[in-house]
Amino acid sequence: MKKSEEKGPFFELTKRQRKAVVMLYEGAYTNKEIAETLHCSESLIYKWKRENKLFQQARKQYETMIIEDKYVSEAMQSIYALVKTAKSEMVRLQAAISILKLAGRLTDSSTPELDKAKVRKANAEADIARWRADELTGKNKADDSTVLVDDIGDVEDE
């Protein structure tokens, strides 16, 4: 791990506490074995696990670091292999979408900005529909009425 990446709760712990976090993560040691290895009491290990917020946060950070180091690249390689070798076009598409999302190049279809744009579009379409209905019923006969021009209609201009 690079020095520039050594930030967060795990790196604020003492060396002994960091060693305890690593041993706990490995899951092969009892609290008694950890205490013996670190030359401290077993009750201290329990206390760190139950009461020490920094220690608890450090355990989560260490787990995240290990997962990122060991498994993220393997997962990406597996997804990439699906893009290249999957027989199903849908599987290849989903794998490609996953890669783009993980790379930050593609977002989910619903974002606050997109939702606002959809509302604006629906409101504009409703206004046009109301105007057309009023036009058909004769409510838009006043001289000062607004004229809508539909230059994007379904039928081409001749």
Side-chain angles (χ1 to χ4, degrees):
M1 180 151 308
K2 300 174 189 167
K3 280 285 187 191
S4 62
E5 295 175 353
E6 293 184 3
K7 295 178 182 172
F10 180 76
F11 299 101
E12 295 175 26
L13 297 177
T14 65
K15 286 183 181 182
R16 190 163 66 164
Q17 288 174 319
R18 286 196 302 264
K19 178 71 175 169
V21 166
V22 171
M23 292 177 79
L24 286 166
Y25 177 79
E26 291 172 355
Y29 305 97
T30 64
N31 289 337
K32 184 177 181 179
E33 291 171 327
I34 295 169
E36 289 172 0
T37 302
L38 300 177
H39 307 291
C40 66
S41 68
E42 190 175 350
S43 63
L44 181 60
I45 302 299
Y46 282 112
K47 185 176 180 180
W48 286 345
K49 288 168 59 176
R50 279 192 322 265
E51 300 172 15
N52 188 321
K53 296 291 183 201
L54 183 64
F55 189 83
Q56 294 165 4
Q57 292 169 349
R59 287 183 71 185
K60 289 178 185 174
Q61 180 187 8
Y62 184 75
E63 183 177 293
T64 301
M65 291 183 324
I66 294 300
I67 289 170
E68 286 176 356
D69 286 348
K70 285 188 177 180
Y71 305 114
V72 170
S73 67
E74 288 179 27
M76 288 299 295
Q77 289 172 2
S78 296
I79 293 171
Y80 182 70
L82 286 173
V83 169
K84 291 295 194 181
T85 61
K87 292 180 181 177
S88 165
E89 188 174 316
M90 186 56 76
V91 171
R92 288 193 311 270
L93 175 63
Q94 288 299 321
I97 288 171
S98 295
I99 289 172
L100 291 172
K101 283 181 179 179
L102 290 169
R105 301 284 182 161
L106 184 68
T107 60
D108 289 329
S109 60
S110 182
T111 64
E113 295 82 13
L114 183 57
D115 291 344
K116 288 177 186 174
K118 287 178 181 178
V119 168
R120 284 193 309 271
K121 179 182 178 193
N123 287 336
E125 289 172 345
D127 289 343
I128 292 169
R130 258 190 306 274
W131 184 87
R132 286 183 176 156
D134 289 347
E135 187 73 14
L136 291 172
T137 59
K139 291 183 180 177
N140 289 342
K141 295 295 182 196
D143 290 338
D144 62 341
S145 66
T146 304
V147 176
L148 281 179
V149 177
D150 183 3
D151 62 351
I152 310 176
D154 295 329
V155 180
E156 290 191 39
D157 295 333
E158 298 181 13

